Amino acid sequence: MADTELPSIEEEFAELDAELKRIAAMPLRTREQQNALVVALESLRDGWQKKGRAHLDAPAWRRVVDEAITTAFDGLLAEVRAGAADGAGGLRLDPQMLQRHLRPVLDAVADGLRRNLVQKFGKPQPPGAPPPEVDGTDVAAILLTLFGPTKKK
Amino acid sequence: MRYMERFHCIGPDCEDNCCHGWTVEIDPLTHKRMQKLTQLHSPKERRRYAAAVTQVELGRKKRPMTIFRLGADSACTMLEASGLCHIQSTFGEKLLSNVCALYPRRIQKVGKAIELSGMVSCPEMARQLLQHADATEEVELDRTSLSRAVVTHGMDPRDVRPYWRLLVEVRTFMLGLLRRPGYTLEQRLFFMSWFAKRASPTLNKDTRKADVAAVRAEMKALETDATLGELARRYDAVEADSAVVLLLARELVRSRDPKKQRRSFRQLVDEVFAEYLAVRVYQAGDLESPEAESHAKRLWAEYRKRKARIVAKATPRIEQYLANVAHNYWMHRLPLEAPDLMVHMLRLLTLQAVFKLLVFSHPSVQGDGEDFETRLDAVAVDVLYRTARYIEHSPLLTALETGLGNANLRSLAGAVYLISF
């Protein structure tokens, strides 16, 4: 600039417009978007919302299980997404994270099973009494309610 | 400036006092005095002072620096449970090290003048700067108001390089553009960026000798409303709709190493970004074409929605914050801190972009209600001081331009995107 004339306003804005357009055309991807784990978890959650969730008239214990699964997905996703956006290094599902979010689901499933058995066989047995016999068809019915029919190979 | 007259330390009432998390240097004179005084006072005080300080080696050519140790909670070991400083309450203010006695003030010599400005990493200073329209009005410095007149920053007036020689003149001119009536804040920031870009080939640290006539001619042209009006009209016509600044600001506030990030800043960032967790990372159709939806575009749309809602309710207040922050930046930080005038301007715009992102997205200002302005003021102070503690007191300020370079924003176009963010 020292010994030369400055570009005119016209020239300067022509350069500016070209640069603005070049920047606007650049592909923009967030860190989270580049993380396969986040995308996979979001897809799993979507699949669960569409296909796995119980109908509105499902029994109460089933709704509790559904709520626990939804909360687990949300919690896992929030944690994984925060890590992905930070770029804090290797991002993986560590055992503590899984335990923190999946434990409530397993608790809800176990509680649901217990309630289901009580519903099926009447009052809970007094302490010390032998547990009621449960046959395979009872368990199969519960598992079918929870996870749906198995896929045909 | 007026806000420095109003400022006084609120001590134990401060929401986040300055006695933790820093490396506090003790100047050699104060260190010697303290060693002698504590010896004379009592063995207990001597032992306490000796245990509270440590020496840091600065290389072979420099003398070691004496600093205060920090406790397990990262607080200064001289901080009492009452929130008061043990040295000040036992030995008096004169025995405070220069850093402790001066903070959050900065005294610098610029040209022939002695200037006093404030560091916004202090919550009370941030409050005084943001909440008064006349905060940055220049007032004559009452030297008797300074308990310790130690000049810590400034410039060498003997340096004849153009960047140094024109510094006072250029700074006065830039502040004139910032406060120029008749234009929006965005337009005024664009005028400043325009000049900075065009003057930088001369006003930089590498240029030893240059004819400054073109710089002066540009300043003269930018003093006329004919030129400014033309620039304003053209600025308003440019399209700068891209999520690029949003992604840059997100990257800047999210540290790669959470352990190195201040806890209070980390909390603020987590709180703000929790607002965006509902935005889908991926959905069918993404990335099918350059115009397709994407996570970045969805985040950008969400941010713009929040910004528009808040700006509609409090435009003058937001402009006051941004103008005062800009004015203080130019007074407090000399352009000589940056390699050239344009980088100095881009650093300010990037800091403002981070400020806007965190304020407009903050959960406390999303709802309506009668106390909206009070909440907005509180959020602005909180964001400004926490950001300053994290970014301005670390090498991150210089890392801003690296980030700008990586995002292809180290240009006038980058300035336009940052201003309109």
Side-chain angles (χ1 to χ4, degrees), chain B residues 1 3-4 104-108 115-119 125 328 331-333:
Chain B
M1 284 178 280
Y3 77 101
M4 292 305 299
R105 301 166 190 86
R106 175 181 282 185
I107 303 171
Q108 54 188 356
E115 295 178 353
L116 175 69
S117 58
M119 297 181 206
M125 191 67 85
N328 190 54
M331 290 300 289
H332 184 73
R333 290 190 170 276

Side-chain angles (χ1 to χ4, degrees), chain B residues 18-36:
Chain B
C18 48
C19 303
H20 65 91
W22 320 96
T23 300
V24 175
E25 182 190 353
I26 311 160
D27 52 284
L29 185 63
T30 308
H31 181 51
K32 268 189 186 169
R33 281 181 183 163
M34 276 304 291
Q35 282 179 315
K36 281 181 188 165

Side-chain angles (χ1 to χ4, degrees), chain B residues 121-172:
Chain B
S121 51
C122 160
E124 181 59 16
M125 191 67 85
R127 213 170 348 260
Q128 294 303 332
L129 176 66
L130 293 176
Q131 296 186 355
H132 300 278
D134 62 349
T136 53
E137 199 177 272
E138 278 182 37
V139 288
E140 199 162 327
L141 174 63
D142 174 13
R143 294 196 190 200
T144 58
S145 68
L146 298 172
S147 62
R148 198 171 303 188
V150 183
V151 176
T152 55
H153 290 71
M155 56 175 282
D156 187 346
R158 295 166 299 176
D159 203 317
V160 292
R161 283 177 284 177
Y163 201 23
W164 274 255
R165 189 153 44 96
L166 265 63
L167 183 131
V168 177
E169 195 181 336
V170 163
R171 192 180 64 164
T172 308

Side-chain angles (χ1 to χ4, degrees), chain B residues 285-299:
Chain B
D286 279 6
L287 308 173
E288 277 176 5
S289 72
E291 291 77 37
E293 274 290 297
S294 70
H295 186 218
K297 286 183 182 174
R298 283 189 288 275
L299 286 174

